[in-house]
Each structure stands twice: as C-alpha cells, then as structure tokens.
Amino acid sequence: MKIKHLSLMLLTLVLVFGCSSKEKSEKPKIAVVVSTLNNPWFVMLAESAAENAKKLGYEAKIFDSQNNPAIESDNFENLISSGYDAILLNPTDSDGSISNILKAKTAGIPVFCMDREVNADDAATSQILSDNYSGCVSIGIEFVKELKEKGKYVEILGLVGDNNTWARSGGFHSVVDKFPNLKMVAQQSGDFDRNKAMEVLETILQANPDIDGVFCGNDAMAMGAFQALQAAGKETKVKIFGFDGAGDVIEKIREKKIIATGMQFPKVMAQTAAQYADEYFKGRKVFPQRVPVEVELVNAANIKDY
Amino acid sequence: MTISLNHPIIKKSQSLIALFLLCLFISLLSDKFMTSTNLWNVLRQISVNVCISVGMTLVVLMAGIDLSVGSVLGLTAAICAGLLKSGLSFESMDLFVGFSVLGAILAAILIGMALGLFNGWVITKFAIPPFVATLAMLTIARGLTMLYTEGIPISNLGPEFEFIGSGWILGIPVPVWISLFMVLIVVFLTKKTTFGRYIYAIGGNEKAAFLSGISINKIKLAVYGIAGMMAAVGGVLVTSRLNSAQPNAGMSYELDSIAAVVIGGTSLSGGVGTVAGTVIGAIIIGVLNNGLVLLDVSPFWQQVVKGIVILLAVIIDKMNQKNK
C-alpha cells in the first residue's frame, strides 16, 4: 500500500514538473498574461504576443487569468517572484487590474497593456488599445445608412459584466440614438456565445417578427443571429452587424449575408507590445501612455481587401 | 369535496402545476408565447438540457452529482466535429481514417461514456466524493477541449450533420425526437429494470443496499457512464444545431442541468425523484428563459428571477418532505 502511495506521489511530481521543466538561460523572460483563453480571439492575441517576443529573441510564456482579476493577481505574484523581466498584459478589468500592474511596477517590471484599457495613467508603461467605442461608432454610422434612418432593430449584447460589452454598445448608441425613427425593440444578452445569441434571437423574432436590423456585440453572436434569421427565412430582409472581424463573418460579408463588422487587429497590438518591451530592454524609457489601434469597418465595399 | 394543498395528487404534480401557472402568466403578458413556432422553439432549445438532465437525474438519485457534464459536452462536441471534418490520421503509419456522420457521432458518444466511466472509477475505487472527482473532470475535459481545438471553433460540418440539429421529422424538430428518445430510455431503466430499483435503493440508504447484496460500485460506474453518454448526445445536438463546435460549448451547462433536476422534485440527498419530473423542470427553465426574453426583461433581472425560481422549488420540496 505504501509503495502504491509513493508511486502515486511520484507520478504527480513527474506530471507537475515534467510539464513545466525548462532549461535555464540568460535571455530576458517575457510573460504574456491574457484575460481568458476560452475565446479564440484572445488565444490569437496571446499566441501572437508570445510568438513576437520569441522572434525578438526572448523567452515567452502565456498565463491565463480566466476572466478573474483575483487569478490575474496570483499570476502577477508568481511572475514577480519567478523573475520575469516584462509583462504583456491583456487586463481582466479596467479598474480591477490596476493594483496588479502597480505591484509589477513596484518590482521594477514594465507592463504593456494590450487591447483592453486600464483607468490609470501612471501604472502601465504603455497601453496599446483597440478602440471598441469608436469602432462601434463607425458601425453605428453604417447601420443608420443601411437602414435608411428608420426601422426596428434588436441589439444583442455580450456578457453584461464585461466592459467591452458596454464600450461597444455605447459607441453604437452614441450614433443610432440620434435617429428617433430607429426603434430598438429588444436589447438582450447573448453572452458573446453563438448558441445563446441564436436562441435569444429565435425568441425575439416571435415577439417582433418585423425587425429590420440586428447589432451584435461580437461576431460569434452575429453568426448565431444569422442562423436564427436563416431558420426563420428572414436572412435577406434583416441586416446583421457584428464586431471583431472573425473569419466566418468575413465570409458572410463576402456572400452579402452580413452587412458589416468592425475588424480589430490583435496581431498588430501584440506585435507593438512585444516591440515596446524589446525597446525597453534596449534602454528606451519613454513611451506614449496610450497607443490606439484603429478598428476598421469591413463591409461589401472593401471586403475584397480581406 | 375540499381540495387542500396537501392532497396527494396535487403534491405529486406540483411541478406540472407550477409549469402551467408559469405558462398562463406569460401568455397573459404576451400573445406571442402560445404560438406553435414559439413552443417548438422552446422544446428545441431545451433538448440539449433534457438529454444532460436525464443522465444527471440518475446520478442525483444515487445521492451523487456530476459537475463535469458541461465540459464533457464540450470535449465530445469538439471531437465529433473534428473527426467529421478531418478524420484521424496517423502519419507514422501513413494511415488515414475518415468518419461518416454516424461514425463521428458514435465515437463522440463512446468517448462521453469513457469519461463518465472514468468519473465512476475514481469515485468508487478511491472513495472520492463525486463533487470533487467530477469537479476535476470539469477542468480536465475543458482543458483537453482547448488543446484539441486550439481555442478555435470547428465549423461547416455539412448538410447531413446539420439535419440532426435543424431538421424536422413528421412535423417535430429532430432534436426534440432525440431528447424524447433519451427520456424514454432512462424512464424505462428507472421504472422497469432491477438496475433502476438498485439506483433508488443506493440513494435511499447506501449501507442497507450494500448489505442486501447490491454491487454498488458496478451500478455507480454504469450511472456515471450513462451521464457521460447523455452529455455527449447533448454535445452532438449543440454542434449540429450551430453547424460548428465552439471551444467553450457547454460551459456552465451543469448548473442548468442540476437546476432542472432539483426543480423537477428530485432530492439532492438521493432516493426520491423521477425522470418525468426532471423533464418538467427543464421545460420550466426553458419557458422561463423564453418568457423573460419575449417580455424583453433586462438581462440583469433575468438572472435574479431564475435564481428565485430555483430557490422556491427547493423550499416547496422541503416543506412537502416535512409534511410527510
């Protein structure tokens, strides 16, 4: 029995250390801390940040904060104690992440934010941001134009506890709400999830069969909305708008089945962040606090460029 | 004749009465609720939860719990889609195996069963509480899903496969047929077989069941295996409905499923409850989701309302047990 226990413990040790063993080296280490790896968009952001850091000759590793500032805080503590030299951060929360960044700053580790902004100017070394708000202002302008300033529409929000959800919704409404003949008949959450968005729109269509447009807070939900409308035979009558620039939505825009989306550039943000870390190691100390990476509107007019 | 709330018929069908009242209430507020398309939508939307929940019912009847069903659903969904799309290739042997729709589905269901059996094995062999064992499986299976999909959805699985989630047979959506079939299988198991009686016996009093010669471990293994299979069936349905396996498919589905079981009157301490009750529980959750969206209730409030309904269901159940 004792031997059995011992062997179980050994197995655990091998599993734990076998997976994380790596040779010592003199190269500076860069940590990529990402808000979640449960969403392809963030996986792409994290992986391309790590790839860029490696290309520049650094060691790089990805840490998942599981959308939870507390786990992010644990990640930071571990990173600081295990001697990382820079952090490329995709924050979990614009306020909740500030104290984590300050901890790293106190330890002399520069933090470069990607995509999501934190509400502090003296914490991160630099923030390379995707402008969700103004990206959705452009979507809003396109929306108003396509619907010819009148009609009924539905908004499908992302996770209601996520700040991107409200930045996108806010940008969209800052334009659309100026047109009194555009009436929002339902505003529901699809949790950024394709299935949930499809089911929610199926139900909304029962109450409002005569809508003219749907604005979705991300592209996965736009795909779900398309499927619900297709099943109801309304996909040609109702105009769909998404946000993110996901591959399947780009295809649907090419087929003229979805009107427009906001293309974000995770790879550009990741590359810039890695580049800045590299420059920091080489002696540059002054960086712009905020570097906006523009969100491009993709519609039938410019789809051939994608 | 006076009808009191303690009348046995009323007590037995209280979840059915709750469902009826809920439907009545919603249809008073919205004339769009009681339409055939809307009701078919509700039944199609709950079919995944029904499949998972009938498996969960067996587990809960044994005083167990399975927190891994959502992740098992995610993993089997991804594997089903992956096999369908790109088959299996063994480069070292220069061997490629392609999968038909049926083959991919069977493979997914077998893997679901294997994951469930593994849960059962850990629980029985090492006497680990089901809560802990299946919690571990929840993260393991989700992690494996991420590894397998690399975090990217697997889409465009072909019209044949899409039929399972979106097609109609004899005027009834295919997912509804499938979930109905799963319900009938489990009802048969619980009502007509010794296996079913043993499940109730174990949940009622495990020691007594053991002393009367029931091989408890075998029954437990089988029940967790069935729960895994049912999760896989749910995975196939979700994937086919979207024509795409999402890496985060099934996330937090275990909670909806436990809610359906509890609202349906199955006791979390085991031994008491029915599959039919669970189906009604799942319908109540589906109708509630549907009604709240139809009435355009704010998404913040929806969560509060759903929580209150679960709480009410458990409180009524508890009060009934006291009255006995």
Side-chain angles (χ1 to χ4, degrees), chain A residues 43-86:
Chain A
V43 174
M44 199 215 280
L45 179 73
E47 279 178 353
S48 72
E51 258 166 46
N52 276 296
K54 281 177 193 155
K55 242 186 257 165
L56 292 164
Y58 303 104
E59 251 183 55
K61 212 175 150 198
I62 298 173
F63 298 84
D64 180 6
S65 308
Q66 300 172 21
N67 270 332
N68 182 343
I71 294 178
E72 185 178 85
S73 169
D74 294 347
N75 278 336
F76 266 68
E77 280 161 13
N78 296 338
L79 292 174
I80 293 168
S81 61
S82 52
Y84 275 85
D85 303 290

Side-chain angles (χ1 to χ4, degrees), chain A residues 38 40 188 194 202 227, chain B residues 45 146 241-242 296-297 302:
Chain A
N38 276 344
Q188 289 290 331
R194 185 160 164 172
E202 276 175 352
Q227 281 179 303
Chain B
Q45 289 170 5
M146 292 299 159
R241 185 97 173 85
L242 294 174
D296 201 26
V297 174
Q302 292 185 16

Side-chain angles (χ1 to χ4, degrees), chain B residues 89-208:
Chain B
S89 56
F90 304 93
E91 272 160 34
S92 54
M93 286 178 280
D94 206 13
L95 181 68
F96 175 80
V97 187
F99 278 78
S100 66
V101 170
L102 196 64
I105 292 173
L106 282 178
I109 292 176
L110 282 177
I111 289 168
M113 184 174 78
L115 294 168
L117 287 175
F118 182 80
N119 277 337
W121 178 70
V122 172
I123 290 163
T124 52
K125 174 85 183 174
F126 303 100
I128 290 177
F131 189 96
V132 181
T134 58
L135 185 63
M137 179 56 84
L138 179 148
T139 42
I140 294 171
R142 182 62 61 192
L144 290 175
T145 313
M146 292 299 159
L147 283 172
Y148 185 78
T149 60
E150 294 170 343
I152 296 161
I154 305 171
S155 303
N156 296 328
L157 307 168
E160 258 180 86
F161 184 68
E162 206 178 356
F163 179 76
I164 301 167
S166 315
W168 296 69
I169 294 175
L170 303 176
I172 293 176
V174 180
V176 177
W177 279 116
I178 293 174
S179 58
L180 184 68
F181 185 59
M182 297 300 142
V183 169
L184 290 178
I185 291 176
V186 180
V187 165
F188 175 78
L189 281 179
T190 50
K191 296 269 181 205
K192 300 284 178 199
T193 63
T194 46
F195 173 68
R197 281 202 300 281
Y198 288 168
I199 293 175
Y200 279 93
I202 293 172
N205 186 337
E206 190 166 329
K207 208 163 242 172

Side-chain angles (χ1 to χ4, degrees), chain B residues 42-74:
Chain B
V42 173
L43 288 180
R44 195 172 45 211
Q45 289 170 5
I46 64 164
S47 55
V48 175
N49 192 21
V50 166
C51 289
I52 302 174
S53 300
V54 290
M56 181 72 84
T57 309
L58 297 183
V59 176
V60 174
L61 278 175
M62 269 183 351
I65 195 91
D66 188 349
L67 299 180
S68 69
V69 286
S71 296
V72 169
L73 181 151

Side-chain angles (χ1 to χ4, degrees), chain A residues 37-40 43 157 160 166 185-189 193-195 198-200 202-204 206-207 227, chain B residues 32 35 37-38 41 44-45 146 150-151 153 241-242 244 246 248 251 253 290 293-294 296-297 299-300 302:
Chain A
L37 287 176
N38 276 344
N39 176 323
V43 174
L157 298 162
V160 289
W166 299 110
V185 292
Q187 182 185 42
Q188 289 290 331
S189 167
D193 178 85
R194 185 160 164 172
N195 191 42
M198 179 182 67
E199 295 190 354
V200 161
E202 276 175 352
T203 305
I204 293 173
Q206 296 302 311
Q227 281 179 303
Chain B
K32 305 291 195 259
T35 62
T37 25
N38 188 52
N41 275 349
R44 195 172 45 211
Q45 289 170 5
M146 292 299 159
E150 294 170 343
R241 185 97 173 85
L242 294 174
S244 164
Q246 306 281 304
N248 52 359
M251 210 166 265
Y253 279 23
N290 178 265
V293 173
L294 270 186
D296 201 26
V297 174
F300 297 113
Q302 292 185 16

Side-chain angles (χ1 to χ4, degrees), chain A:
Chain A
M1 202 59 193
K2 265 195 185 146
I3 292 173
K4 215 174 185 182
H5 281 172
L6 201 67
S7 56
L8 260 180
M9 275 170 66
L10 277 176
L11 180 69
T12 320
L13 284 175
V14 169
L15 270 174
V16 170
F17 291 100
C19 295
S20 63
S21 71
K22 57 170 184 279
E23 69 275 32
K24 286 257 169 201
S25 75
E26 301 304 310
K27 285 188 274 184
K29 295 196 289 181
I30 296 182
V32 179
V33 183
V34 63
S35 62
T36 176
L37 287 176
N38 276 344
N39 176 323
W41 194 89
F42 290 101
V43 174
M44 199 215 280
L45 179 73
E47 279 178 353
S48 72
E51 258 166 46
N52 276 296
K54 281 177 193 155
K55 242 186 257 165
L56 292 164
Y58 303 104
E59 251 183 55
K61 212 175 150 198
I62 298 173
F63 298 84
D64 180 6
S65 308
Q66 300 172 21
N67 270 332
N68 182 343
I71 294 178
E72 185 178 85
S73 169
D74 294 347
N75 278 336
F76 266 68
E77 280 161 13
N78 296 338
L79 292 174
I80 293 168
S81 61
S82 52
Y84 275 85
D85 303 290
I87 296 173
L88 310 183
L89 171 71
N90 168 240
T92 50
D93 187 84
S94 24
D95 293 313
S97 297
I98 297 174
S99 63
N100 293 335
I101 300 174
L102 288 174
K103 248 185 277 175
K105 193 187 179 189
T106 316
I109 302 169
V111 177
F112 301 89
C113 289
M114 301 181 289
D115 174 45
R116 201 174 282 170
E117 184 173 8
V118 291
N119 299 326
D121 291 335
D122 52 355
T125 308
S126 179
Q127 304 192 42
I128 300 107
L129 308 167
S130 186
D131 196 338
N132 282 282
Y133 186 91
S134 58
C136 284
V137 169
S138 334
I139 296 268
I141 294 169
E142 181 79 358
F143 187 88
V144 170
K145 206 170 73 190
E146 281 287 333
L147 271 75
K148 304 198 173 59
E149 300 181 15
K150 65 174 178 8
K152 293 183 187 172
Y153 72 93
V154 170
E155 180 182 9
I156 302 184
L157 298 162
L159 286 165
V160 289
D162 187 300
N163 48 12
N164 278 340
T165 298
W166 299 110
R168 291 172 191 179
S169 181
F172 176 79
H173 283 288
S174 73
V175 177
V176 177
D177 289 0
K178 291 194 186 117
F179 297 85
N181 289 330
L182 280 169
K183 287 205 172 59
M184 182 166 73
V185 292
Q187 182 185 42
Q188 289 290 331
S189 167
D191 291 348
F192 287 136
D193 178 85
R194 185 160 164 172
N195 191 42
K196 176 90 193 286
M198 179 182 67
E199 295 190 354
V200 161
L201 190 60
E202 276 175 352
T203 305
I204 293 173
L205 284 174
Q206 296 302 311
N208 306 283
D210 54 346
I211 57 170
D212 306 293
V214 184
F215 169 59
C216 301
N218 80 348
D219 276 350
M221 298 196 294
M223 287 302 291
F226 171 73
Q227 281 179 303
L229 288 165
Q230 195 179 35
K234 292 183 182 182
E235 78 274 22
T236 51
K237 284 181 216 132
V238 181
K239 297 188 160 143
I240 309 170
F241 297 76
F243 194 84
D244 268 352
D248 36 10
V249 165
I250 297 297
E251 280 318 302
K252 287 279 178 283
I253 294 176
R254 217 183 293 283
E255 297 164 16
K256 298 201 164 49
K257 286 175 173 159
I258 288 180
I259 301 296
T261 187
M263 173 67 88
Q264 302 200 83
F265 296 95
K267 287 183 178 161
V268 174
M269 288 187 268
Q271 196 191 355
T272 313
Q275 187 67 43
Y276 276 17
D278 181 49
E279 287 171 15
Y280 182 92
F281 291 140
K282 290 180 176 150
R284 180 176 172 188
K285 290 293 173 254
V286 182
F287 292 89
Q289 177 57 222
R290 284 182 174 74
V291 185
V293 173
E294 226 176 300
V295 174
E296 263 174 38
L297 183 82
V298 184
N299 58 15
N302 67 357
I303 187 69
K304 56 183 188 305
D305 304 336
Y306 291 90

